[in-house]
Amino acid sequence: MLPFELYAIRYARHQGRAAQDNYMGSVDFHDADSDLDYYVWVARRGDETYVVDTGFDEAAARARGRELLLPVPEGLALLGIDAAAVRDVILTHLHYDHAGTLDRFPRATFHIQEAESAYATGRCMCHPALRHPFNVEDIVQFVRKLYGGQVRFHRGTTELSPGLSLHLVGGHTAGLQVLRVWTRRGWVVLASDATHLYGNIERGIPFPIVHNVGDMLDGHRLVYSLADSPRHVIPGHDPLVMRRYPAASPATEGKVARLDVPPSGQDARVIE
């Protein structure tokens, strides 16, 4: 089985966060404070290209007080990928920072857990606290893609291609999914928001935006079971990803990290 290349594209950030913004309950460890980085990911092998999540645009960045560093199509172009030509997009979930800009992928099939679509358009959205991380216009755009025949639903575990599978985790949202990807360093898990930061999964402390706490904590265990080691888990928003992994090329320093090689950069140690 040939391995996938695997990349993280850093497209935005949110600075000035405190411990309570990232960890549920009280915390007493000194490194709890952390900004968030925002990523989309790419798994590529030969003529197969899977874009994972689609980020948000400048309007959403302004509305949410985030800093857009690199529009997602421009980030993909750094890897020679034309968003308009992408055939497969995997949506880990439908929060605004993972499922905006769907219109920039006119030829794509969007892969999503059936539970996520039901959650984002169902009775839970009657509660402001649960619907806040969603952008209604993104959900409308998703429904348009559905009616246009561009959505493929999955239930639980699905192998999209040898060496790339989707796994329902839930927790953060009802239908959050993670990816298990075969790379030249073994099985890597793109955890997305199953764990925002390394610290969430390493310490077993949930991120405060959560649909089901028990499912989130069970998700931490599932993620570890799918990865070859803790060093093979990629969190959804940790700035340390860009410090631990090398740039895809000198021109992409600070923008695109290569994840199919072992972590070797600054602060490369991960709790075993």
Side-chain angles (χ1 to χ4, degrees):
M1 181 169 57
L2 293 176
F4 280 91
E5 299 172 1
L6 194 59
Y7 302 93
I9 301 171
R10 175 177 176 253
Y11 74 91
R13 65 183 178 185
H14 185 211
Q15 297 180 297
R17 297 176 66 90
Q20 63 265 26
D21 298 321
N22 298 328
Y23 297 91
M24 182 177 290
S26 60
V27 292
D28 58 2
F29 42 92
H30 71 279
D31 57 344
D33 294 1
S34 177
D35 298 335
L36 295 185
D37 277 350
Y38 294 81
Y39 301 97
V40 299
W41 302 272
V42 171
R44 182 165 64 183
R45 178 177 63 189
D47 61 357
E48 294 180 87
T49 297
Y50 295 89
V51 173
V52 183
D53 292 340
T54 59
F56 54 73
D57 60 15
E58 181 61 43
R62 289 194 303 269
R64 300 273 180 167
R66 273 55 173 168
E67 181 182 0
L68 186 68
L69 302 172
L70 183 70
V72 168
E74 293 182 19
L76 292 170
L78 294 174
L79 293 173
I81 298 171
D82 178 7
V86 168
R87 293 290 190 176
D88 290 283
V89 172
I90 299 166
L91 295 175
T92 63
H93 59 303
L94 289 172
H95 279 174
Y96 82 97
D97 52 326
H98 294 262
T101 77
L102 297 186
D103 59 322
R104 302 302 298 270
F105 298 86
R107 302 178 69 182
T109 294
F110 296 90
H111 299 269
I112 192 169
Q113 290 287 331
E114 184 175 352
E116 182 67 7
S117 177
Y119 175 63
T121 58
R123 63 184 297 165
C124 284
M125 296 302 101
C126 296
H127 303 293
L130 292 179
R131 70 172 180 258
H132 177 72
F134 294 91
N135 182 325
V136 64
E137 296 306 323
D138 295 340
I139 302 305
V140 170
Q141 182 64 240
F142 171 77
V143 173
R144 292 187 186 281
K145 294 293 186 181
L146 171 61
Y147 274 68
Q150 291 181 254
V151 174
R152 179 180 170 189
F153 289 109
H154 302 277
R155 293 181 178 178
T157 299
T158 300
E159 185 180 66
L160 281 187
S161 182
L164 193 155
S165 55
L166 311 177
H167 301 264
L168 175 63
V169 172
H172 180 60
T173 67
L176 175 72
Q177 62 182 348
V178 302
L179 281 73
R180 187 178 192 235
V181 185
W182 177 249
T183 72
R184 58 179 175 170
R185 71 178 178 114
W187 289 107
V188 173
V189 173
L190 293 180
S192 183
D193 289 4
T195 180
H196 280 62
L197 303 171
Y198 285 108
N200 295 119
I201 191 170
E202 289 169 356
R203 296 181 170 95
I205 302 176
F207 191 79
I209 298 176
V210 58
H211 169 250
N212 186 297
V213 173
D215 286 348
M216 179 175 280
L217 293 173
D218 286 344
H220 290 173
R221 295 180 179 179
L222 177 61
V223 165
Y224 272 150
S225 74
L226 294 172
D228 273 355
S229 80
R231 292 169 63 90
H232 290 73
V233 173
I234 310 299
H237 290 275
D238 204 314
L240 291 176
V241 170
M242 299 304 294
R243 294 164 56 183
R244 291 179 174 177
Y245 290 92
S249 68
T252 63
E253 187 72 40
K255 299 176 181 178
V256 183
R258 187 152 192 175
L259 307 176
D260 56 330
V261 298
S264 59
Q266 182 182 6
D267 195 22
R269 186 185 68 85
V270 181
I271 295 174
E272 296 290 349

